[in-house]
DNA sequence: GTCTCGATATATCGGACCGATACATCGAGG
DNA sequence: CCTCGATGTATCGGTCCGATATATCGAGAC
């Protein structure tokens, strides 16, 4: 799912990894932030897949690299190759390719059958402006259905086992249930808005 | 953190993997449930570390295994070895050891500097009855401080960048903020209760 | 009686993501 | 000049996950 986030941000603007992480954190809140240990490998994957591409670092091209001591010809050549694509502070600025745009669409539309459902939904909603209205509505309603199911299962479990749980676990479960209810109300608000804006 | 959950459940009762998963799901709600792909390797780790131990499967010892066709001596010997520790349906029932009890205490007290903070807190709260009152209060107040900090950071980011975000992202962030506020209120309730029960 | 189906049960595999860590450069301030 | 903190890229080991394979058991169909 990180792919989706990166591609979505690069759609608007060319960025390097570090900046990408900052944008991501402010987009999804300081919770659920992304680590470099995921980000850089993911960028490498996307580059290998031809979905993003390191672009010429615009702005100041940086000083000549102060070659520290004697460099073998090999290393000097490598640095020369890097220089074309790295900015002043060794930045590698990435841009999205056409393949990347296509991949973005695909990921955004995909029924997230896999995994991390909360994270995936939040991410998709953050890029919902790229979806046609009916797909947006579908996303919201699928999410709502999911939460309603969750809630039903939680209530069932509570009815069956309440007496076996101590006060802390009960409070935890109650709070979780309440949070899910509020999530559903919030979704209802968004769905309402969505329908108003596309009535027919 | 899965270790903590497993040890906590085995503290109360000897269980096998499948049952462990069910208990875990009902303890933490149907969200944030644990997969077998984590559970079994984790049980193996704990067994290797001497924190849990496969115990004699009580109840019916199961029928003689209907050895399907010809078995090599190797395989027959292996099955014989397993038989001692597996119940009727091939169940492997685990119990906690003294090392496991010690590990549980350690994990429960540990300042969860690492990782998955939400999950870790929920888990610890679910086992809070094993903590002395002041440690419980510490857990709650550390969590509260964490959320307050989160909230401050989120608000700061919002003030700075609100105009750059579309309506969907804004709604997402607002909802997240509100949820965090409610989490804090909930914690305040728990802290209040805790203080009433141990006033001096 | 036997056949099939769903629940019970254990286990492994590849992959995503994380925290820790290492390393280098830059700018501000002492 | 020098150190310190922010910027910046990258890798490593490990945890957890979903998918999948495999096998047994009990209930109900027929």
């Amino acid at each position: 799912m990180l792919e989706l986030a990166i591609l979505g941000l690069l759609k608007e603007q060319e960025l390097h990894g570090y900046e990408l992480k900052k944008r991501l954190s402010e987009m999804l809140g300081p919770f659920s932030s992304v680590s470099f240990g995921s980000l850089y490998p993911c960028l490498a994957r996307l580059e290998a897949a031809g979905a993003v591409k390191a672009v010429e670092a615009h702005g100041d091209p940086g000083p000549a690299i102060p070659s520290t001591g004697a460099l073998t010809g090999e290393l000097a050549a490598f640095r020369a190759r890097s220089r074309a694509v790295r900015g002043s502070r060794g930045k590698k600025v990435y841009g999205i390719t056409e393949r990347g745009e296509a991949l973005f669409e695909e990921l955004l539309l995909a029924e997230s059958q896999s995994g991390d459902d909360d994270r995936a939904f939040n991410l998709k909603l953050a890029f919902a402006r790229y979806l046609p209205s009916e797909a947006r509505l579908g996303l919201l309603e699928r999410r709502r259905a999911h939460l309603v199911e969750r809630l039903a299962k939680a209530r069932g479990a509570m009815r069956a086992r309440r007496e076996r749980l101590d006060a802390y676990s009960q409070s935890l479960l109650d709070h979780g249930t309440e949070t899910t209810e509020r999530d559903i109300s919030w979704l209802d608000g968004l769905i309402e808005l969505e329908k108003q804006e596309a009535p027919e």
Side-chain angles (χ1 to χ4, degrees), chain A:
Chain A
M1 285 284 72
L2 230 191
E3 276 94 340
L4 178 62
I6 291 175
L7 293 173
L9 286 180
L10 291 185
K11 247 174 108 71
E12 302 169 46
Q13 191 180 350
E14 296 177 346
L15 291 168
H16 56 268
Y18 196 88
E19 185 67 23
L20 224 28
K21 178 176 154 66
K22 285 201 294 186
R23 304 281 176 115
L24 225 43
S25 294
E26 84 188 31
M27 196 176 71
L28 298 175
F31 26 102
S32 83
S33 99
V34 177
S35 84
F36 289 121
S38 320
L39 185 61
Y40 286 114
C42 188
L43 272 171
R45 281 199 304 274
L46 286 171
E47 192 174 19
V52 306
K53 180 170 61 161
V55 300
E56 245 99 329
H58 50 287
D60 75 316
I65 289 170
S67 68
T68 341
L71 293 179
T72 75
E74 200 87 37
L75 184 48
F78 173 74
R79 292 207 169 169
R81 250 176 285 126
S82 301
R83 214 172 297 142
V85 103
R86 283 171 180 251
S88 57
R89 206 190 289 233
K91 278 189 283 204
K92 267 172 77 177
V93 177
Y94 289 96
I96 193 168
T97 65
E98 278 187 36
R99 278 174 80 87
E101 300 269 2
L103 181 56
F104 176 77
E105 295 296 325
E106 192 185 325
L107 290 173
L108 192 53
L109 260 325
E111 309 267 331
S112 103
Q113 62 266 25
S114 76
D116 216 356
D117 217 2
D118 293 10
R119 189 87 138 216
F121 170 75
N122 285 356
L123 217 37
K124 287 184 183 177
L125 186 60
F127 293 121
R129 66 180 176 287
Y130 294 119
L131 284 171
S133 183
E134 81 272 7
R136 215 148 47 207
L137 199 52
L139 176 66
L140 292 169
E141 283 178 339
R142 256 177 289 127
R143 174 67 175 174
R144 188 187 192 282
H146 181 113
L147 290 186
V148 166
E149 193 195 348
R150 220 189 230 186
L151 201 51
K153 229 183 290 185
R155 282 203 225 275
M158 282 287 273
R159 258 193 297 275
R161 331 267 186 185
R162 181 156 202 106
E163 70 287 348
R164 285 214 327 233
L165 300 170
D166 66 65
Y168 299 105
S169 295
Q170 280 184 31
S171 183
L172 200 54
L173 252 15
D174 285 338
H175 181 60
T177 297
E178 201 187 317
T179 298
T180 303
E181 281 167 359
R182 296 189 61 88
D183 285 351
I184 291 172
S185 296
W186 170 67
L187 280 173
D188 285 338
L190 289 180
I191 289 170
E192 186 66 22
L193 270 174
E194 201 61 43
K195 284 184 174 164
Q196 276 175 25
E197 285 178 20
E200 69 281 7

